[in-house]
């Protein structure tokens, strides 16, 4: 089974990924401004986008912003100067986009946002393909509420990149889920910048600040890479992740399923890396027939726990570019 077919099955978007062929995209030059490669999920998104573009005969111009908005803006202006047919952007932060996207609009180049939103007028982009990030946080929080029941539970939170829409929204959703449950409280919250190394470093600080971690019931990480870093920090502190400290996170990358198998993590909310399939389908309909897509194309937010064939999920995902 191909990478894209596996992703289509996982995301429930196989109809959008049909080879019945986006003729209007074949031979088109499309720019893709990617945030960087701060996580396994991000690497998978890049891999899948490139694979889908190749499958459809698209000449994809890829630009890695290395987590810097100024690099993304420079890349977008470069795409505009090249006269590309469309631009895909995974925005590193949510603000500061109006000027450059206005330039794209004036050049009649449609822009599609991938996996993150922005604070800008909606007429500056064609559509946004993303998960419901508030829902992701809410699903994670609901799982924790149900798991701890009436037990007192002090939670530490590893936030994503400051100012990014996933960090803002996943925090809000989680807090909304915990609201009204006085036995659960977030006692410490700090950015781990979506990276494994920073997640480990911040978790080490949390453990030291909380009597070696004895007072921590659970860690909520805005992505799995930070969770994997936190798991290592918990083990280094002489505690058992998954039992002494519950671990819940978001993304569904292969390594979190390995952690499930090892008994070192408890729950993740899947974020499919296949944003390109729905994006290219919407773009083809727009370019070929003038069909304006829905402004927001929402992917599924599915909860996984160790009971959900963790080894099988790892095996199915490990070849997808993570």
């Amino acid at each position: 089974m191909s990478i894209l077919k596996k992703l289509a099955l996982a995301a429930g978007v196989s109809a959008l990924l049909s080879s019945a062929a986006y003729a209007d995209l074949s031979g088109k030059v499309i720019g893709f401004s990617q945030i960087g490669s701060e996580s396994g999920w991000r690497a998978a998104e890049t891999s899948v986008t490139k694979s889908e573009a190749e499958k459809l005969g698209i000449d994809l111009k890829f630009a890695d912003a290395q987590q810097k908005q100024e690099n993304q803006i420079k890349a977008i202006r470069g795409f505009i100067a090249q006269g590309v047919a469309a631009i895909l952007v995974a925005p590193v932060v949510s603000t500061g986009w109006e000027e450059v996207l206005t330039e794209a609009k004036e050049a009649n180049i449609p822009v599609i946002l991938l996996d993150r939103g922005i604070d800008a007028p909606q007429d500056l982009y064609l559509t946004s393909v993303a998960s419901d990030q508030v829902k992701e946080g809410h699903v994670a929080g609901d799982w924790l509420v149900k798991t701890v029941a009436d037990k007192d539970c002090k939670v530490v939170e590893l936030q994503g990149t400051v100012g990014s829409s996933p960090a803002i929204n996943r925090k809000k959703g989680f807090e909304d889920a915990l609201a009204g449950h006085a036995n659960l409280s977030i006692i410490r919250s700090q950015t781990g910048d979506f990276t494994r190394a920073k997640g480990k470093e911040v978790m080490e600080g949390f453990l030291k600040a909380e009597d070696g971690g004895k007072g921590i019931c659970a860690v909520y990480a805005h992505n799995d890479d930070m969770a994997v870093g936190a798991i290592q920090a918990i083990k280094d502190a002489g505690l058992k992740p998954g039992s002494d400290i519950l671990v819940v996170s978001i993304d569904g990358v292969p390594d979190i399923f390995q952690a499930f198998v090892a008994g070192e993590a408890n729950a993740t909310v899947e974020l499919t890396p296949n944003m390109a399939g729905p994006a290219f389908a919407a773009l083809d309909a727009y370019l070929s027939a003038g069909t304006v897509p829905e402004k927001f194309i929402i992917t599924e937010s599915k909860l996984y726990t160790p009971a959900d064939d963790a080894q099988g999920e790892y095996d199915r995902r490990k070849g997808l570019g993570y």
Side-chain angles (χ1 to χ4, degrees), residues 192-250:
D193 211 24
F194 284 127
T195 70
R196 195 168 299 199
K198 188 69 173 178
K200 179 176 183 291
E201 177 187 325
V202 174
M203 189 66 198
E204 287 170 346
F206 288 162
L207 291 164
K208 289 176 183 176
E210 297 296 329
D211 191 24
K214 295 183 178 65
I216 299 173
C217 160
V219 54
Y220 165 52
H222 289 191
N223 80 343
D224 290 338
D225 278 81
M226 291 189 295
V228 171
I231 287 167
Q232 188 59 54
I234 293 166
K235 291 164 69 174
D236 290 348
L239 299 174
K240 294 180 180 179
S243 51
D244 291 334
I245 297 177
L246 301 176
V247 179
V248 56
S249 53
I250 296 170

Side-chain angles (χ1 to χ4, degrees), residues 93-95 117 119 133-134 137 157 159-176 194 220 222:
V93 294
S94 59
T95 58
D119 294 328
Q133 295 161 349
V134 174
E157 179 183 30
Q159 296 185 45
T161 302
V162 174
S164 68
S165 59
I168 295 165
N169 294 329
R170 289 172 180 175
K171 181 174 181 62
K172 174 176 170 35
F174 188 79
E175 290 177 342
D176 288 349
F194 284 127
Y220 165 52
H222 289 191

Side-chain angles (χ1 to χ4, degrees), residues 40-104:
W41 185 91
R42 185 69 53 193
E45 183 192 42
T46 295
S47 176
V48 170
T49 302
K50 289 179 176 179
S51 295
E52 176 70 350
E54 182 178 3
K55 169 189 168 187
L56 297 174
I58 294 167
D59 182 2
L60 190 72
K61 303 299 183 184
F62 177 74
D64 183 337
Q66 299 180 326
Q67 283 78 44
K68 295 181 180 179
Q69 185 184 36
E70 58 266 33
N71 290 344
Q72 289 201 294
I73 291 172
K74 182 179 179 181
I76 293 169
R77 288 195 168 122
F79 294 148
I80 294 169
Q82 293 175 56
V84 299
I87 298 171
L88 308 180
V89 185
V92 65
V93 294
S94 59
T95 58
W97 297 103
E98 288 191 37
E99 184 177 347
V100 71
L101 294 190
T102 297
E103 293 170 20

Side-chain angles (χ1 to χ4, degrees), residues 255-266:
D255 282 356
I256 206 69
F257 289 97
Q258 273 197 318
F260 283 177
V261 173
E264 296 175 348
N266 307 91

